[in-house]
Amino acid sequence: MNRHERFERRLRALIDGEREVEWGFNEFVGHADVLRQLLDVAPDEIRDDLGFLHQLMADARDTTASAVLGIFPRLADPKLAGVEGRISAYIAEHCGIRLGRLEYVEGRTIGESRCPGWPGVGTPLTNNRFPYLIDTSASNYFSNRFWHGDAAPPGFIPVPEGGRVVFRGEYPHARYFAFHPSDFDTNNLETLLDVDLEPDAGSVNPFREAAGAGASRRFTARLDFGEASGSPEPNTSYVGVKARGGRNPAVFCIYRTMASDFGSMPPNIGGVFVPSIDVYDANGNQTLHYDEMDPHPAGAQVPYETTRFAPLPIPDHRALCWPEKYSTKSNWGLPYDILASADILYLVTPYARRLGPVHVTRARKFTAPDTPREPVHTPGKDIRGFTVTTYNFWAGICEDAVIDRDIPVDADGCYTIVVSSREDRPSNATRDNGVAWLDGGSYLDGQLTFRLLVARDAKLVALKRAIDSGEVAPEIADFVPRSRHCSRRAFETRGWQAAF
């Protein structure tokens, strides 16, 4: 058996689920092991590329609090598209496994933020690639970084020792928004959530009550680089101490919006400007100021990413080890939050083509305000809202996404979500037949991700408990999603029942 044949046999055995794969709470354990098994029999043509990819996954697996920030740029490096593309081309030529178009581009981001105080622009055009996994149905966000004390590194806004940052802006026209500060270890600090923000004098918080035409919708929010006292100020997150204790030298702040009344495309921030920023020292003296700005004025270049991945025919170990099961991990199981939103309950389940080309998910649908037709504060709703997206791990791309209002239900209030490639889409997987179909792309496998708001809501607390512990309260049982695979023909013949 020559080297090409040995590699092909190993790869096909992994794809078919015939080899044991190491896995653990940290998901990079399994990714690294899959690549190690391939690297052991790798031919010279792709040994360096497989070795590069394996080392990256191993380093992500072993990352520490002091190194977690360093792994992000490596995971997001456009040269990964070249590494994976060359491996995909070799597999297509020598193993006869071709998942789709082999074209790939080691690209870059074209354009940049117009807002000096908010240099990070997160949209479906810039961040729809690993490791960001943006929800392309509903999300736009902006970010900045603050350095506490002297000698701020490049790219950080300096805040004097014991100082504070003040944001002034307008409540956006959206289902949700919040300021998400995270500490130097990328762990969540206290979120400044829309409904919790007291409005300025003479203004209205539209996340609590109706804001009539012409009503003022202004707020003021703060990051205080001290410790919370016995009487914390309203609209303030105290960020001077890390989530796990000790002085916090830096804050990574993300301003997230979801379900903008204007959609996610073109990129927007819910019909308002990004908030102004004022920095003050411990004595209340202003040291810096950034104006409110329109981040995407008409006719301006919107930043976009040109990197493109070819479908990599290497299995995601999660689809090998725990398909059709759900996890609430938002950080690949690493012991750090890595900037994930504390307001979102994430539900993730892997799907695998080897188990059937059609992946079917069923559950009772939570009721949520149908914004902008209904206000966010509409009473009697189960939760604030949710979205569902499909991803492939190696490409890191959100292939498709849907927001709750676009998911139909049957007479029992239950939804059916079907994931498949375009070629394998059942003819009856249509909205007219009560089905929300999502494109899974031309991959071996992927992950279906639910994002549910707001995580602190009672029903979502109960849902998380049900997934994590198996303690399913009767009132939440019907809302726990179940996922199974089936063939296209079976679904066309029997509908969702074919999978269950």
Side-chain angles (χ1 to χ4, degrees):
M1 185 184 303
N2 64 35
R3 54 199 174 97
H4 301 302
E5 292 171 336
R6 286 197 304 272
F7 179 81
E8 179 181 347
R9 176 174 291 188
R10 177 68 57 86
L11 175 61
R12 289 188 181 275
L14 282 166
I15 290 172
D16 293 340
E18 296 172 353
R19 290 186 63 86
E20 185 174 341
V21 175
E22 181 183 6
W23 65 291
F25 187 78
N26 175 343
E27 293 173 5
F28 287 101
V29 171
H31 298 314
D33 191 54
V34 167
L35 292 167
R36 178 196 60 78
Q37 294 193 44
L38 292 173
L39 187 59
D40 285 347
V41 294
D44 293 340
E45 291 91 329
I46 55 171
R47 177 171 293 279
D48 287 346
D49 284 326
L50 271 173
F52 178 92
L53 199 55
H54 171 260
Q55 189 62 56
L56 177 60
M57 294 298 115
D59 289 347
R61 174 196 65 198
D62 301 334
T63 194
T64 63
S66 60
V68 67
L69 289 174
I71 202 68
F72 257 70
R74 293 174 60 194
L75 292 169
D77 193 329
K79 70 181 179 183
L80 273 177
V83 169
E84 294 188 14
R86 290 187 292 272
I87 296 171
S88 297
Y90 172 87
I91 292 172
E93 180 180 355
H94 294 281
C95 306
I97 303 173
R98 181 191 298 264
L99 297 180
R101 296 168 63 89
L102 290 177
E103 290 87 349
Y104 59 89
V105 178
E106 296 184 35
R108 61 190 180 95
T109 299
I110 306 295
E112 58 186 13
S113 172
R114 300 181 63 255
C115 309
W118 299 92
V121 181
T123 78
L125 298 178
T126 61
N127 289 69
N128 184 18
R129 184 164 65 81
F130 187 78
Y132 301 104
L133 304 184
I134 195 171
D135 171 6
T136 59
S137 73
S139 296
N140 283 286
Y141 55 82
F142 293 80
S143 63
N144 44 34
R145 302 185 289 179
F146 299 98
W147 186 263
H148 185 203
D150 298 329
F156 284 79
I157 296 173
V159 179
E161 190 71 32
R164 61 169 44 190
V165 175
V166 178
F167 304 110
R168 296 180 175 89
E170 292 184 79
Y171 298 97
H173 299 263
R175 183 89 63 92
Y176 161 90
F177 93 96
F179 294 90
H180 291 265
S182 294
D183 66 19
F184 189 64
D185 299 333
T186 73
N187 288 318
N188 297 147
L189 298 169
E190 184 179 3
T191 300
L192 296 171
L193 176 62
D194 46 32
V195 71
D196 296 335
L197 289 174
E198 297 293 339
D200 290 348
S203 288
V204 174
N205 181 338
F207 293 87
R208 297 180 183 174
E209 58 184 312
S216 177
R217 302 162 56 102
R218 296 196 62 81
F219 66 85
T220 302
R222 306 170 189 84
L223 302 180
D224 190 306
F225 282 78
E227 296 187 50
S229 63
S231 301
E233 293 185 63
N235 296 8
T236 302
S237 181
Y238 292 86
V239 298
V241 177
K242 291 196 288 187
R244 299 179 185 176
R247 181 185 180 277
N248 183 31
V251 164
F252 302 89
C253 182
I254 301 177
Y255 179 106
R256 283 185 170 95
T257 62
M258 287 189 65
S260 162
D261 290 357
F262 307 97
S264 63
M265 296 294 290
N268 66 86
I269 195 167
V272 300
F273 290 1
V274 291
S276 67
I277 302 171
D278 290 290
V279 179
Y280 298 90
D281 65 19
N283 296 317
N285 301 306
Q286 187 183 68
T287 60
L288 277 174
H289 171 78
Y290 297 95
D291 288 335
E292 287 183 68
M293 291 189 66
D294 184 349
H296 300 301
Q301 171 66 66
V302 176
Y304 64 96
E305 165 73 47
T306 63
T307 300
R308 294 293 180 270
F309 281 73
L312 182 65
I314 293 177
D316 180 337
H317 87 280
R318 298 171 299 176
L320 299 174
C321 299
W322 47 279
E324 303 181 338
K325 297 180 181 178
Y326 275 85
S327 165
T328 62
K329 298 173 186 175
S330 59
N331 57 353
W332 301 293
L334 292 169
Y336 321 103
D337 295 328
I338 51 175
L339 311 181
S341 171
D343 290 335
I344 294 175
L345 173 61
Y346 297 86
L347 298 185
V348 177
T349 187
Y351 49 86
R353 189 181 296 183
R354 68 185 175 87
L355 298 177
V358 177
H359 183 257
V360 184
T361 298
R362 285 276 296 178
R364 178 175 294 280
K365 183 179 176 181
F366 288 111
T367 60
D370 183 9
T371 56
R373 188 179 64 84
E374 298 177 324
V376 172
H377 54 82
T378 300
K381 302 296 183 180
D382 291 325
I383 62 173
R384 182 82 71 88
F386 69 97
T387 63
V388 190
T389 52
T390 56
Y391 296 99
N392 171 260
F393 174 80
W394 299 112
I397 190 170
C398 174
E399 196 71 32
D400 206 354
V402 65
I403 193 168
D404 49 37
R405 60 172 164 253
D406 295 326
I407 299 175
V409 296
D410 61 19
D412 296 322
C414 295
Y415 61 80
T416 299
I417 296 174
V418 167
V419 177
S420 73
S421 67
R422 291 185 179 275
E423 295 75 18
D424 289 319
R425 180 178 182 175
S427 58
N428 54 341
T430 65
R431 184 177 177 85
D432 288 344
N433 289 304
V435 175
W437 176 79
L438 292 175
D439 186 0
S442 300
Y443 305 105
L444 294 173
D445 45 42
Q447 71 179 58
L448 188 71
T449 300
F450 286 76
R451 289 176 172 84
L452 300 105
L453 288 165
V454 177
R456 71 188 189 191
D457 290 349
K459 287 194 174 179
L460 295 187
V461 171
L463 179 60
K464 186 177 190 304
R465 184 183 303 116
I467 298 293
D468 290 344
S469 70
E471 298 177 12
V472 185
E475 64 271 17
I476 205 68
D478 290 345
F479 296 97
V480 178
R482 297 183 300 148
S483 295
R484 297 290 185 271
H485 293 77
C486 68
S487 69
R488 173 179 176 175
R489 181 176 180 181
F491 191 92
E492 289 178 336
T493 302
R494 298 180 55 213
W496 65 263
Q497 291 91 338
F500 295 91

